[in-house]
Amino acid sequence: MRKAVCPGSFDPVTNGHIDIVERASRLFDEVVVAVGVNKSKSRLFTAEERIAMLVEACQPFANVRVAGFSGLLTTFCAENSIHAIVKGLRAVSDFDYELQMAQMNASLTDIETVFVPTSPEYSFLASSLVKEVATFGGDVSGLIPGFVNERLKARVAERVAGGQG
Ligand code: PNS
């Protein structure tokens, strides 16, 4: 069985992420969407919230499951007998860092990184920009699933009410 991992922070999941997961699900028998829960970055959504949103977003794909992971991605892959990492590439600017990570991961264990070009309609899309636009009241409804948009608006409102907006 050919297994792959689609790793990321998914804070929150966007239509661009879902596009890559769907395409990976056609290339591999089983795809694990692995949500990084390392504490290094401050997140808008908790790990549990990010995982729950991904579970809902990935429901249409029968061979996709969602898991959280901490520590090294290569350790998670070894524990789950996964030998391929799928990453979306939006532009040449993504390539430098992604290549570095792919080569580092390959040096740590027996793993290949498969780069999938982002669909053109999502080439500008990043969770960080979605959050910034939403924070200033912009409409991101075309860029994320409807249920994610509702949670994002609620979280932004909570932050504003709590003086963190
Ligand atoms: O969505 P992101 O923030 O680009 O996801 C990055 C992620 C989580 C895939 C990456 O930071 C990662 O793999 N983190 C786990 C720690 C690790 O393995 N670091 C070494 C990378 S070479």
Side-chain angles (χ1 to χ4, degrees):
M1 182 190 273
R2 294 198 176 272
K3 289 168 76 171
V5 66
C6 286
S9 309
F10 305 106
D11 187 38
V13 59
T14 69
N15 291 345
H17 294 132
I18 298 167
D19 176 57
I20 296 295
V21 170
E22 179 175 13
R23 288 159 63 201
S25 76
R26 289 193 231 117
L27 295 173
F28 291 88
D29 300 314
E30 185 185 334
V31 172
V32 181
V33 179
V35 183
V37 301
N38 287 340
K39 296 252 184 286
S40 54
K41 289 190 201 169
S42 69
R43 305 285 183 201
L44 187 59
F45 292 99
T46 66
E48 292 73 23
E49 290 169 331
R50 286 180 279 136
I51 289 170
M53 286 188 275
L54 274 159
V55 167
E56 195 164 340
C58 294
Q59 241 167 11
F61 317 126
N63 61 337
V64 175
R65 67 180 172 92
V66 181
F69 79 100
S70 57
L72 286 176
L73 178 61
T74 49
T75 304
F76 175 84
C77 290
E79 286 168 357
N80 289 275
S81 306
I82 294 172
H83 301 283
I85 300 169
V86 174
K87 285 291 195 84
L89 281 186
R90 288 168 295 199
V92 174
S93 51
D94 280 345
F95 185 71
D96 276 347
Y97 184 52
E98 291 296 343
L99 178 66
Q100 199 179 9
M101 280 202 287
Q103 291 173 333
M104 174 62 87
N105 284 328
S107 79
L108 295 173
T109 186
D110 170 25
I111 194 125
E112 291 289 351
T113 297
V114 178
F115 291 123
V116 174
T118 296
S119 298
E121 65 266 39
Y122 303 127
S123 60
F124 62 92
L125 193 47
S127 297
S128 54
L129 281 183
V130 164
K131 286 184 284 191
E132 183 170 332
V133 172
T135 299
F136 292 111
D139 179 10
V140 291
S141 59
L143 308 175
I144 53 180
F147 69 90
V148 175
N149 195 29
E150 292 311 312
R151 290 184 204 189
L152 181 56
K153 284 195 285 192
R155 181 55 44 87
V156 167
E158 279 167 29
R159 292 272 168 126
V160 170
Q164 298 164 270

